[in-house]
Structures are given as C-alpha cells and as structure tokens.
Amino acid sequence: MSGTLDREEKAARIRHLLSTEGDSVERNTQGFNRGRYDAVADLSDYEELKSQARAVKEDAIARLPELIETVRESVQSRGGHVYLAEDAADANRYVREVVESENADSVVKSKSMTSEEIEVNDALREAGAEVWETDLGEFVLQVADEAPSHIVAPAIHKSEADIAELFNAHFDPDEPLETADDLTRFAREYLAERIAGADVGMTGANFVAADTGTLALVTSEGNARKTVAATDTHVAVAGVEKLLPRFEDVAPFVELIGRSGTGQDITSYVTFLTPPGDAPTMDFEDDSLSEGADNREFHLVLLDNGRMEMREDDQLRETLYCIRCSACANSCANFQHVGGHAFGGETYSGGIATGWEAGVHGLDSAAEFNDFCTGCTRCVNQCPVEIDIPWINTVVRDRLNRGESNKFDFLVDGLTPDEETESGGLDLQKRLFGNFPTLARLGSATAPVSNWVARAPGTRALAERALGVDSRRDLPEFQRESLREWFAARGGTTVRDADREAVLYPDPYTDYVAVERGKAAVRTLEALGVSVRIPDLPASGRAPLSQGMISTAESRAEAVADALAPHLDADRDVVVIEPSDLAMFRADYRKLLPEEAASRIADRSYELFEYLYGLLENGADADTLRASDGERVAYHSHCQQRTLGLEEYTTEVLGELGYDVVSSDAECCGMAGSFGYKREYYELSMDVGTDLRDQFADEERVVASGTSCCEQLAALRDETVGHPIRRIAPAE
Amino acid sequence: MTDEHGTETSENSTHTITSRDSHTLPMTGLVQQFDSEATDAGCEVRRAAVEDFAEEIADLLEPPAVGAPLPFDGVSLPERATTDPTPAELESAETGITPARFAVADYGSVAIESTPAGDEQVSLWPGHHVAVLAESDLVADMPAGIERVGEIARAGGDVVLATGPSATADMGELVLGAHGPRSVSVVLLEDR
C-alpha cells in the first residue's frame, strides 16, 4: 500500500468507521479495559497465574503431535469421534458429512471464531441445512449479514438503537422493540424455537484437555449449554492449539480468561464436557427428559489450517499460545476507536490477529491491517499468556516489506537485509520514517533553511503525495545548534571527580529538535552531582524497527552496543530521555542482539526520571532543583514507558519537589511515533488523541515524556507541550 | 457475554445471609466468602438447617416448577416441583431446583453436574434457578474446584461452574437473563 489513491481510500474507510461504529466500539472496549484493570488488581497471584498459563501453553504446543494422539484415544474410548482437519475445506467436508448422515435439516451453533475461520455456515447451507447462530451477538450479525468486529463481543460496533432498528425492520414485531431487554427477550424466544427444532449442535472449545477428552466452554448467555443439551449430535470445532496436556492445566486459564477479556472475575458459565456425558438429549415430542438418555453422539474436529506450520515458525509460534481473550484489542488505543472492521483481517481482529491471519489465511490478509499496531506495547502486560504481540506485528511487517506474499517462503529463504529490498519493495513512506535520524541530522545542519523549506506549501503537498506525510501535521523544527554542539561549546560537563558518571543518550530528536530538554537534563544531572558525557552515539534503531525494518534495526543495535561498550566498561550509566529509545535498550534489544550484549545494555540504562529518582533516594540534594509550592501539573506518560513500569518515577519526583501531579490513563496519545503523521491514519490518530485531550481539558500546564506525545498534545491543545525535566531543571 | 457484573464489590461486612430462623450455625470463613462472592455475582444466598429446608424452598418457589432429585439426607424436593419433566414443561417452568455438587467459595460459583435426571436442563431453562448446596461441599479456590471437576471429568461426567445469572451485553446494554436463568438463588444446607 503505497500510492496516493490507496492512502485516500484507506483514510476514507477509517473516517467512515469512526463516524458509524467508533462510538459504540469505544464505549464497549474501554469498559472492558477498565474492567480488566480492576479485575486483575483483585487477583493477588496474577503475575504467577500468567506465568503458569504461559508454561502450560509452551509445553502443550511443543508436544502437540503427541497430544493429538492422546485426545484421539481419550475421546474414542468414550465412543466419540476425532477428526484432524488439514484445512478449512477438509473441516467443512467432514462437518457436512456428519450433518448429512444425521439427516439434519437444522443446525444450531454457539459462538466460535474457529467456525468463522472455516466459514462452516456456508458449507452447511450448501448441504441443505438451516444454520442458526444462538449467541445473541452472532445472531445480530447473522440478521444484519455482517462480520464480527471483536473476537469476544462480535456485535460490539452496534448500539441498542442500531439493533432495535435492525430487528424492527427485519422481523416486523407486533410491538416495536426498543430496549436491550426487549431485544434480548425477543431473540431468546426466537432462538428457543430454533434450538428446540435443531438436530445438530455446533460449538467451539476454549480448551481441550487431551488426557480426559474434556472440552471447556467459557460463556455467559447459556446458549452453548442449550446448543449441546437440546440436540443429540454435538460437533465441536477447535484449533489444534486448544489442546492442553492434563485436565487440571485448565485452572489458571479459568481464572484469567474472563478477567482478561471483559473484566469479569469469571463468566457466568464455564462448562466442562466429557462427551457423551450423562445429560439426556431432548426430543420435544418426548414424554419425559429421561427418555433421551444415552443417545448422544460426539465429533471433535481439530483444525490445522496452517497451525502446524506456525508451530515450526520461531516468530509466529507464540500466536498459538493465544486464548483469544481480546485483552490486546481492548487495551489498544487504535482498536478502541476503529474496531475490528478496520483493525482485523478475514477472521480475527486486534493485535494478535496479525499472527493468526498470517498463519491461517496468509500474509495478504495480515497486510490489510498490520499498520494499525503502532508498537505502543500497551497490550504486552495485558496478555494472559505473555505474548509479545508488538513483536509479532513487527515480524509480519518485515515480511510484508520484503514482499513475501506466499505464506512460508521465509522459512526457506531466511531473512535478507532490508537494504537489499529497500530500493525495490519498501514503501517510500516507510523509508522516510525509518530513516528519521538521518533526516534529523540533515535538517539540523541546514536549519533554518530546512524548516522554511518544510513549511513551504508546495513542499507539504509534495510530501503528502509522494511520502504520505499528512499536511495537517506540524513538522519537527530543527535547531541550528545541536545538543552535542552546545555541550561541546560549553566545554563538556561542569562536574569533575564525581562518584557517578553518566552517558546522556543523544537521541536524534533531543539532539536536533527538542534541544532544550537535553540541556535541562544535563543541568539537572549535574546539579545532583553526576558527571555527564554526551558522546556521538548511533540512533537506537527504533525508527526502522517501527516500520518493520528488522535487519536495519539489528545493525543499529549492534552499532549502539559497540559504541556503548567502552562506556559500560568504564562503569558509566546510560541515561535516556526519549522513552521509545529506552524501550529499545531495555526490551527490544533482547530480540535484536545476543543475550549477553542485550542484558549488559538493559541493566545499565535508565529513563531520565527513573535515574533522578534513584539519585534522590540515595541522598542527592533535591534543593538544587526547581521546586514548586503546589503548582498543578498534568502528566502524560509514554506508552512504552508505562509498559516498562516507569511512569511513577516522574510523578514521584515531581511530587517530591512539591508539584501537584495528575496523570492520564489514556493508553496512548494516538501519535505513536510516525503513525499520526501518515496521511491515511491522521484522522484516527487525532480521534484517539481526543481521549487525552478531554482528560486534560481543564488542566493549564501539561507535560509529557515522549516526543510524539508532546507533539500530539501540542496539536490537540494548540500550545507547546514540553518534557517534565524542563519544569524542574535549575536555571542556566 | 456480559459486561461488568461479577466484578463489583459489595459491603461484605454489613451483608448477612437471609435466614428465616434464629438458630443458624455460625458462619465459617468459607461460607462467608461464598456468600459474599455469590452475592456480588448476582445470586441470592440463603442458609438453612435441614429441618427448615422445606419452608425455605417453599418461599423461593414460583410455580410452575421443575426439579432434579436432591441427594442430601433428610432433604427432598417440594411436591410442586415436577421431576423428569417433558421438554415442554421445562420450557414453561418458572423455577428449576437442582443440587450443586460443590461450590467454589472465592468465585461464588456452583458446580452443576449433568445427570440422566436432567440437572443441566433444569438449571438452565427456567427463569429462576435454585441451587441447593451442602456447606461441607464448599471448596476454597479455583485450583481446588478444578480438582473436583477433574474427578468428575475422569469419570465421564459433565459439569458447569455457574456464577450468577446468565447475562449478555450483546444488545447494547447489560441484560440479565439471556438464554439461561435471569435469577439464581443458592440455598446452603448448614448441617450437611
């Protein structure tokens, strides 16, 4: 996607969704997200449960071929059938044969994303059977003939009024339906007749215990229970990744899945079926329930459809640990605003969908929405199985940049450096944003001329057409004197013979654009007795990594490791102002560098306020800094900074210095590095930003740690927004 | 799917279980915890001695009622509750009475095991589900609950951990009573 027309089309589609579905999606996802924060806070062993869940999944996926054989034996020993379906067509053929052999003319279904993946409804209709979705959200979509916008709450994009309008038009009831209560009662009664008349019940499965052949179904409405209880043939369709080795392995998931998804401690029903079970089937002509005992038939369809290949893929394998709770969607600022109809592929939506779509439908489907992941990392700590979801998005972006539209070519070809393909396949826009450090260096060297040129109307129009840089955004204004030039001109550090020596990392933005925050950081560190150095260090690789240029990011990481080595050898700390660069040093380098090199950098790198906090805790004199007598400051921490648990250092230090600090809880400002500059995403970026703007509407003084957060806030508030270091730094 | 029910907190200290009699046994920690969690999840929790059970259940029963046999000594279903109902009787029942095999105190969840007598259906179709639980069948937490489910699963049985009424947020707002019951009562047998 690189042409102007594509960008315009994409922008128009996003604009349409923002205006038609955005409000409803936002209300629901933000409700789930708040519920999740509350529900997991109640869980004293939350982190331990996540690690347990992760360990179970790692083990299960490693042993998958063996577990498939185990479950085959356990299900067959009770008289059930297991079919391992190679792909969607194979699964559909099997299900169709079951339905035909039962002479079934009606099938009722409970909600199953896996059945959406194979589109079994179409296959069943071709076989002449009626199919009814009994989950109320899926039923709404069946009536509306629409696709799910969320993996757990499929009709999240529709309001009560939308559904009332739909039902009144479609069913023409005697009394018009108005409230959610009316709609629920109507749908329940309508579907009760379909359930009573159905011959076959289809469900998915949230978990399948291999040793006992038990299915776990996590639901709230009771329709899955009815789907199974009322019919005499049960067909469950589940991805092979749902297998767990032992029944008892399900325990941590039962505690995590509802909390992580919709913020409930547990959903109304967690059903454990070990078919055929003891419940009588229900023939609505029978004289009593017990006449239906011992009539149950059961088929478990285990779906491969690319999963066994994902298992062999070192980067996509983690996707198979996903329990489809939707936490990554609900905690994602972009998803909260645009929903799964934009941030989703053929079947799945939200952050982890990139992995699912790449694995089961191929890279082309993932390509449709991969850009919506900005790498803000807010989903990382929310995933109950600890999947590094942004990394999966980055890997897929890298594969897309290389033009690998065939599913698994990369397994054969291996990784080729970005440079080899940059001249050919890589989008110009991605190259621009991936090379910001070079641009910044040139921009500063030629400032102010570069700024005049950048502001000239013709230039912006050209930049929008050729590069997709939205002309409504202010561009960074390069300073003639860089931070390092200023530092050298003043003769380096003013502190000699100090106990602590720190390297202040000159990220390109601080070095060439926000030079004042760099100067403030130097003065503050020196006031607290730190001897500061600002060596010439390479860019961290954040910019190329965010564009999916992994091998470029790797070589940047190696260059940084080499350049930092003598400083680390000399026992110097590394202090970083820009949180996204700190996140490279602390987290992303673990993916880009050998373990030892990555740990060495991670262990000695600090976010600026984290470092100040440590200095103050260890006896540095706070009186040397600019204190306040209760001045109110509104602080927006950076998304990646919050994921690393580093927000509190800023609020603590400001609080200690007498500021009255209030902080935002918006997951992301919406700018997210280069995302908000892109023509196709500008409006979404501004829409996401309204959450933050509204939270701080009554605040007079706003500060933020991240560069892009400052720029976004400046655009939203029409004023300059700076880094908090500028509040507390001693005067020059 | 539901919205946020089940995550609200209530004033545990001030809540007392409804009981019609004054000679109620002191509540153990587990009973108290179950009461508080099940109440938060939207259940009405009552506590009764075996000798008072008939009176308690009569008070809860809205006719027409269906039931599954109660396997507790000295306790039986009221005559007004039809056992082994026809599917049509199930559809029209207001109240469904079943035993709970056990309950998980820190979630307020009751375990309903499927039986040939239709416990699953009786607990699901009527608008009001009354679950009867022996206090000695309370387990503390989910790992213990899953152990119990595991024993049933290994014997080929089906179990649902039911927590509060059925619910949905799929129609734009939270609604209690989706396909399953819109209200749930749990009667704790304090001397069983």
Side-chain angles (χ1 to χ4, degrees):
Chain A
M1 213 223 46
S2 55
T4 311
L5 194 63
D6 286 350
R7 282 197 181 99
E8 288 307 322
E9 278 172 10
K10 193 154 198 172
R13 168 139 179 83
I14 291 170
R15 198 178 308 126
H16 174 73
L17 288 172
L18 287 174
S19 68
T20 52
E21 303 183 351
D23 288 350
S24 202
V25 169
E26 184 177 353
R27 190 174 70 97
N28 286 302
T29 49
Q30 292 188 351
F32 295 154
N33 198 36
R34 276 192 300 274
R36 182 183 46 70
Y37 279 117
D38 292 344
V40 302
D42 290 343
L43 207 52
S44 58
D45 51 354
Y46 175 50
E47 293 300 327
E48 193 187 316
L49 283 172
K50 289 201 302 190
S51 303
Q52 268 179 35
R54 166 88 186 187
V56 168
K57 279 291 185 180
E58 283 183 4
D59 177 47
I61 297 305
R63 290 164 53 194
L64 205 46
E66 169 201 331
L67 298 185
I68 292 170
E69 289 319 304
T70 307
V71 81
R72 197 191 291 279
E73 283 165 30
S74 55
V75 169
Q76 286 175 353
S77 74
R78 298 186 193 281
H81 309 274
V82 176
Y83 186 71
L84 180 62
E86 202 176 306
D87 54 23
D90 192 21
N92 286 332
R93 183 191 52 73
Y94 182 84
V95 176
R96 208 165 48 227
E97 281 172 13
V98 170
V99 167
E100 282 164 357
S101 72
E102 296 294 321
N103 294 317
D105 48 26
S106 177
V107 177
V108 283
K109 280 181 68 202
S110 68
K111 194 180 106 54
S112 151
M113 287 308 296
T114 310
S115 78
E116 298 272 351
E117 176 186 326
I118 61 174
E119 298 179 342
V120 73
N121 294 13
D122 297 340
L124 291 172
R125 284 192 200 103
E126 281 164 26
E130 242 182 35
V131 189
W132 290 100
E133 295 284 356
T134 61
D135 173 85
L136 296 182
E138 288 286 351
F139 177 61
V140 168
L141 298 184
Q142 184 174 11
V143 173
D145 194 21
E146 289 179 22
S149 59
H150 187 274
I151 60 171
V152 170
I156 201 174
H157 58 289
K158 289 203 175 297
S159 67
E160 188 181 47
D162 294 336
I163 301 168
E165 194 184 324
L166 172 73
F167 278 22
N168 289 330
H170 191 272
F171 296 108
D172 195 20
D174 298 339
E175 291 274 310
L177 305 166
E178 283 175 24
T179 64
D181 264 320
D182 296 342
L183 296 162
T184 301
R185 197 174 330 106
F186 177 85
R188 172 188 166 123
E189 284 166 15
Y190 186 89
L191 288 168
E193 287 175 34
R194 272 75 205 166
I195 291 169
D199 307 297
V200 172
M202 277 192 73
T203 69
N206 294 88
F207 308 97
V208 181
D211 62 342
T212 59
T214 305
L215 317 177
L217 295 171
V218 179
T219 69
S220 277
E221 294 181 355
N223 61 304
R225 295 173 66 191
K226 283 188 169 173
T227 295
V228 175
T231 54
D232 44 17
T233 299
H234 175 194
V235 180
V237 179
V240 286
E241 83 284 1
K242 301 288 178 69
L243 286 164
L244 304 178
R246 291 169 58 247
F247 176 80
E248 286 73 14
D249 290 332
V250 80
F253 299 101
V254 172
E255 300 207 66
L256 288 168
I257 193 167
R259 286 186 165 93
S260 301
T262 52
Q264 299 163 269
D265 292 354
I266 191 167
T267 59
S268 301
Y269 305 121
V270 183
T271 300
F272 300 95
L273 299 171
T274 309
D278 293 318
T281 60
M282 292 165 70
D283 184 329
F284 284 73
E285 266 112 58
D286 279 355
D287 289 335
S288 73
L289 266 185
S290 57
E291 280 183 38
D294 302 326
N295 280 340
R296 293 196 171 275
E297 195 177 324
F298 174 64
H299 299 265
L300 174 62
V301 180
L302 289 172
L303 180 68
D304 177 348
N305 206 30
R307 288 165 173 77
M308 296 310 262
E309 282 187 87
M310 290 167 79
R311 190 174 160 268
E312 304 293 328
D313 181 331
D314 285 343
Q315 309 299 342
L316 287 190
R317 183 183 305 121
E318 265 195 305
T319 306
L320 297 172
Y321 305 159
C322 169
I323 60 170
R324 296 163 178 195
C325 68
S326 77
C328 59
N330 301 332
S331 60
C332 170
N334 277 348
F335 191 95
Q336 287 175 0
H337 285 258
V338 80
H341 285 160
F343 196 158
E346 283 183 39
T347 308
Y348 299 99
S349 57
I352 194 60
T354 291
W356 281 119
E357 292 289 332
V360 307
H361 293 310
L363 280 175
D364 288 346
S365 180
E368 294 296 312
F369 64 98
N370 172 260
D371 274 0
F372 284 99
C373 173
T374 64
C376 84
T377 71
R378 292 305 302 143
C379 56
V380 169
N381 295 342
Q382 329 307 340
C383 175
V385 284
E386 302 175 337
I387 300 173
D388 191 342
I389 295 159
W391 177 252
I392 289 174
N393 278 276
T394 303
V395 166
V396 170
R397 193 166 302 159
D398 183 89
R399 291 175 186 178
L400 288 167
N401 288 343
R402 290 161 202 286
E404 293 164 35
S405 55
N406 292 327
K407 263 210 227 177
F408 292 101
D409 283 356
F410 49 85
L411 288 176
V412 186
D413 297 346
L415 294 172
T416 50
D418 300 311
E419 283 75 7
E420 287 181 21
T421 53
E422 262 177 36
S423 53
L426 196 66
D427 182 323
L428 267 179
Q429 185 191 57
K430 288 199 159 135
R431 287 167 64 191
L432 169 74
F433 289 119
N435 288 305
F436 177 75
T438 310
L439 188 72
R441 191 170 297 128
L442 289 170
S444 175
T446 57
V449 175
S450 54
N451 296 322
W452 299 336
V453 171
R455 271 198 293 269
T459 313
R460 293 310 304 271
L462 184 68
E464 180 163 301
R465 276 205 308 278
L467 302 169
V469 179
D470 198 283
S471 57
R472 287 163 288 187
R473 285 284 182 197
D474 288 334
L475 289 182
E477 193 155 315
F478 299 111
Q479 304 301 306
R480 192 72 181 93
E481 185 185 51
S482 72
L483 177 66
R484 285 191 307 108
E485 286 164 355
W486 165 82
F487 191 70
R490 85 202 271 263
T493 192
T494 58
V495 177
R496 314 281 169 201
D497 304 323
D499 291 341
R500 300 202 84 95
E501 257 196 304
V503 167
L504 182 66
Y505 178 68
D507 68 87
Y509 200 83
T510 304
D511 202 12
Y512 300 113
V513 181
V515 176
E516 289 306 318
R517 72 179 190 182
K519 295 179 186 173
V522 171
R523 293 199 302 274
T524 305
L525 288 166
E526 289 179 342
L528 297 180
V530 178
S531 175
V532 179
R533 287 167 180 254
I534 313 184
D536 184 10
L537 293 171
S540 71
R542 165 61 67 199
L545 189 70
S546 75
Q547 307 304 316
M549 297 153 69
I550 294 178
S551 68
T552 304
E554 254 165 12
S555 49
R556 297 273 156 79
E558 284 157 14
V560 168
D562 289 346
L564 279 179
H567 299 287
L568 298 173
D569 290 342
D571 212 22
R572 290 172 196 137
D573 300 318
V574 179
V575 177
V576 183
I577 301 175
E578 179 55 41
S580 63
D581 289 312
L582 179 79
M584 289 295 283
F585 292 0
R586 287 268 272 263
D588 300 274
Y589 276 13
R590 294 187 191 280
K591 293 276 205 284
L592 304 174
L593 290 174
E595 197 181 324
E596 200 191 324
S599 291
R600 198 156 178 250
I601 296 173
D603 292 349
R604 287 306 285 268
S605 302
Y606 301 88
E607 189 271 330
L608 175 60
F609 271 78
E610 178 192 22
Y611 196 68
L612 301 181
Y613 179 88
L615 294 171
L616 293 171
E617 283 292 293
N618 286 293
D621 185 4
D623 291 346
T624 57
L625 305 182
R626 207 145 37 105
S628 164
D629 194 12
E631 184 193 355
R632 173 95 163 174
V633 173
Y635 172 59
H636 174 66
S637 179
H638 182 276
C639 44
Q640 290 162 341
Q641 179 185 1
R642 285 170 64 200
T643 295
L644 293 171
L646 300 174
E647 174 178 13
E648 282 73 21
Y649 295 110
T650 304
T651 54
E652 283 294 313
V653 170
L654 290 172
E656 206 165 311
L657 291 171
Y659 293 87
D660 172 21
V661 190
V662 59
S663 48
S664 72
D665 63 9
E667 295 289 2
C668 178
C669 68
M671 182 68 106
S674 58
F675 183 80
Y677 283 100
K678 295 181 177 176
R679 170 70 196 96
E680 60 274 39
Y681 303 123
Y682 169 78
E683 281 143 289
L684 172 59
S685 162
M686 291 302 278
D687 198 59
V688 170
T690 55
D691 294 348
L692 188 52
R693 185 193 64 201
D694 294 350
Q695 274 191 19
F696 286 168
D698 298 329
E699 301 295 336
E700 287 197 356
R701 193 167 306 284
V702 175
V703 293
S705 298
T707 297
S708 46
C709 321
C710 287
E711 298 201 334
Q712 176 80 326
L713 277 161
L716 293 163
R717 294 173 63 85
D718 203 18
E719 65 177 11
T720 308
V721 172
H723 192 281
I725 194 66
R726 297 188 58 191
R727 307 292 323 150
I728 68 162
E732 277 177 76
Chain B
M1 53 135 293
T2 74
D3 201 338
E4 293 178 39
H5 94 94
T7 61
E8 299 155 29
T9 52
S10 74
E11 296 296 321
N12 298 351
S13 52
T14 58
H15 176 78
T16 48
I17 300 185
T18 320
S19 181
R20 299 162 68 80
D21 290 274
S22 52
H23 62 269
T24 303
L25 292 172
M27 279 197 267
T28 64
L30 274 189
V31 174
Q32 226 155 23
Q33 193 182 15
F34 175 81
D35 169 38
S36 147
E37 295 297 335
T39 304
D40 282 355
C43 297
E44 177 201 17
V45 181
R46 297 189 179 203
R47 202 167 173 237
V50 163
E51 60 175 302
D52 302 319
F53 175 76
E55 198 183 339
E56 203 69 57
I57 205 86
D59 186 55
L60 284 168
L61 189 152
E62 242 345 283
V66 292
L70 301 175
F72 311 106
D73 271 355
V75 168
S76 56
L77 284 172
E79 278 179 22
R80 287 189 291 161
T82 307
T83 51
D84 200 12
T86 65
E89 284 170 322
L90 257 186
E91 291 270 20
S92 58
E94 270 302 314
T95 310
I97 306 168
T98 72
R101 294 299 142 153
F102 68 92
V104 182
D106 72 351
Y107 280 83
S109 309
V110 294
I112 309 300
E113 183 181 349
S114 294
T115 71
D119 292 48
E120 166 72 352
Q121 284 93 341
V122 170
S123 71
L124 184 59
W125 258 263
H128 182 203
H129 174 214
V130 180
V132 183
L133 175 76
E135 282 189 5
S136 59
D137 284 328
L138 275 169
V139 302
D141 54 20
M142 194 50 76
I146 292 298
E147 288 287 330
R148 290 286 305 266
V149 178
E151 289 163 18
I152 297 167
R154 283 172 210 286
D158 293 344
V159 180
V160 56
L161 289 179
T163 313
S166 80
T168 185
D170 285 346
M171 296 299 179
E173 294 293 336
L174 178 65
V175 176
L176 297 184
H179 288 275
R182 63 184 167 271
S183 59
V184 176
S185 301
V186 183
V187 181
L188 295 172
L189 297 170
E190 60 183 30
D191 44 2
R192 287 292 178 273

